[in-house]
Amino acid sequence: MRVIVAGAGVAGLAAARGLLAAGHDVEVYEEAPGPRTAGGSVTLWPGSTAILDELGIGYANLGWRLETMESWTEDGRRLFTVDLTSAERRYGHPCVHVARRELVAALAGDLPVVYGAGVEHAVPERAEARLAGGRTVRGDVLVGADGRRSAVRRALWGDDPATLSGWVTWQGFTTAPTSLTGARRAVMIAGRRELCGLIPAGEGRLLWWFDVQASPGGPFWKDDPDIVRRLRERFGGWADPVPTVLETMNEIDFFPHHRHTIPAIWGRGPTTLAGDAAHTMPPTMAQGANQALEDAWLLTRSVGGDLRAYERARARIARRPALLASSEVTNRQRSYAGLFPDWMATRLHTASLRRFSSYLLTAS
């Protein structure tokens, strides 16, 4: 079948790679002039690393394998530790943290991506898309993987359903040596009304992010001219290595948290959705890229069959992390983090990974 994929992010590229391997004729159209490298890095859970393995992408040399995930207070007191190797043993694949640009590059490979050709309008019933510049393409199937502002979804659903959660993320990398840069630990430092996250990403890089409450036009919002000063004041005095991060900030990215209700049916006729176009969620559960890969995995097995069954199956799973992420539960962990012993936190986390994964529910 001829499949038109709108968007060359994680969902679109993974779907294209899987569909090509399944024998379909695939074309990918991307709005950006080149590969989409914006963003810091992402944590891939065992279901996703298993999917990468099936796609022929060796994750052994991709990113940085993680062994624990810890929660601290501002002064460095440990609240709990999740043993990520428990999930690795249970599911047969590790947890890996990888720079987004490296993941996109690995997925893109030699795929037939046409850059500078974003979809401006879609006709779902005909699997037809009008590209920037006026060209129209048509396939047997149209996949809208063109992100939160998806033109394909707009043709299907109308207005953007996402709303702001009231939280934002400021993030970047530091290459300054820290106590965590070469470790295999992810650390979340929980404040009363804010959170700092720190995860090594390989090649001497440490991803950092600061989650704070903010609203459009106010402090901590996009284009805040005093953002570096504000972050230093808000997080100054926190445990090592936060002072090093604050001191070495240079490039810094802004991400407002969006959420919306995920419907059971995403598409119409031969047109469907994948990734953020179908299920935008805050990054607090580290599930955006993972759910995109899960979409691609199941979609590969559904093209040529019942696309509505694909949507219902994925919606049932994606709603679980989306609901938790929308509550910003991770950013509020200070109130409950110390209540669970390590063994219980590990068991809960390991079980949740299976509940959040179509692949693991099928394969394990």
Side-chain angles (χ1 to χ4, degrees):
M1 302 187 76
R2 186 184 185 204
V3 183
I4 304 298
V5 177
V10 173
L13 292 172
R17 183 171 287 278
L19 290 165
L20 279 171
H24 298 286
D25 179 16
V26 182
E27 299 171 9
V28 183
Y29 296 93
E30 165 59 39
E31 178 182 18
R36 292 168 58 180
T37 59
S41 47
V42 296
T43 300
L44 300 179
W45 306 112
S48 292
T49 50
I51 290 169
L52 289 182
D53 200 24
E54 286 199 4
L55 291 173
I57 296 172
Y59 53 75
N61 298 314
L62 187 67
W64 192 252
R65 177 176 164 273
L66 297 175
E67 296 180 352
T68 63
M69 180 170 62
E70 303 174 12
S71 177
W72 299 355
T73 60
E74 305 101 306
D75 59 2
R77 178 170 56 88
R78 188 180 64 84
L79 296 171
F80 68 80
T81 297
V82 171
D83 178 5
L84 298 177
T85 68
S86 175
E88 182 175 346
R89 291 189 298 273
R90 172 69 177 84
Y91 303 122
H93 290 82
C95 169
V96 172
H97 193 75
V98 57
R100 182 177 291 275
R101 67 176 60 208
E102 292 164 12
L103 177 60
V104 167
L107 288 169
D110 56 356
L111 289 178
V113 180
V114 180
Y115 293 102
V119 171
E120 293 186 337
H121 178 70
V123 182
E125 295 78 6
R126 298 201 296 267
E128 180 179 291
R130 187 181 71 234
L131 307 177
R135 178 186 171 195
T136 296
V137 293
R138 183 183 298 172
D140 299 303
V141 174
L142 172 62
V143 179
D146 44 344
R148 196 185 66 76
R149 292 179 289 274
S150 170
V152 179
R153 186 193 60 211
R154 186 167 60 248
L156 290 164
W157 298 7
D159 293 338
D160 183 355
T163 59
L164 294 167
S165 78
W167 288 80
V168 303
T169 294
W170 289 93
Q171 72 172 31
F173 290 110
T174 183
T175 56
T178 76
S179 57
L180 292 178
T181 303
R184 297 197 178 273
R185 298 184 291 163
V187 172
M188 293 175 292
I189 307 177
R192 302 293 180 184
R193 296 177 296 109
E194 59 279 296
L195 181 135
C196 171
L198 303 160
I199 308 182
E203 298 184 1
R205 295 165 301 181
L206 181 72
L207 175 78
W208 53 262
W209 76 91
F210 295 103
D211 284 358
V212 294
Q213 292 175 298
S215 56
F220 294 104
W221 196 256
K222 184 179 181 180
D223 298 327
D224 182 344
D226 298 317
I227 186 58
V228 172
R229 177 183 62 79
R230 291 188 199 280
L231 290 173
R232 287 173 175 167
E233 289 177 352
R234 185 73 166 267
F235 294 90
W238 281 34
D240 177 76
V242 177
T244 299
V245 166
L246 293 169
E247 182 182 347
T248 59
M249 281 181 178
N250 41 54
E251 295 184 12
I252 179 170
D253 293 319
F254 169 80
F255 297 95
H257 294 194
H258 290 87
R259 59 189 176 191
H260 70 85
T261 300
I262 301 173
I265 299 299
W266 304 345
R268 189 164 67 245
T271 297
T272 191
L273 301 174
D276 282 353
H279 41 65
T280 297
M281 62 185 77
T284 52
M285 298 299 294
Q287 281 289 331
N290 290 274
Q291 295 303 314
L293 288 168
E294 296 278 350
D295 288 349
W297 177 78
L298 190 56
L299 180 60
T300 295
R301 286 148 182 77
S302 303
V303 165
D306 186 352
L307 292 177
R308 304 296 85 81
Y310 149 76
E311 294 161 4
R312 286 191 293 269
R314 286 297 303 132
R316 186 168 59 252
I317 301 300
R319 282 175 184 149
R320 296 168 182 170
L323 284 171
L324 281 175
S326 295
S327 73
E328 301 287 353
V329 62
T330 302
N331 285 332
R332 306 179 194 278
Q333 65 184 271
R334 179 63 179 271
S335 61
Y336 64 82
L339 302 178
F340 301 101
D342 292 352
W343 68 266
M344 184 180 295
T346 296
R347 181 175 294 182
L348 289 170
H349 179 76
T350 301
S352 73
L353 294 180
R354 186 169 184 268
R355 284 177 45 80
F356 295 170
S357 171
S358 298
Y359 179 92
L360 293 180
L361 282 169
T362 301
S364 62

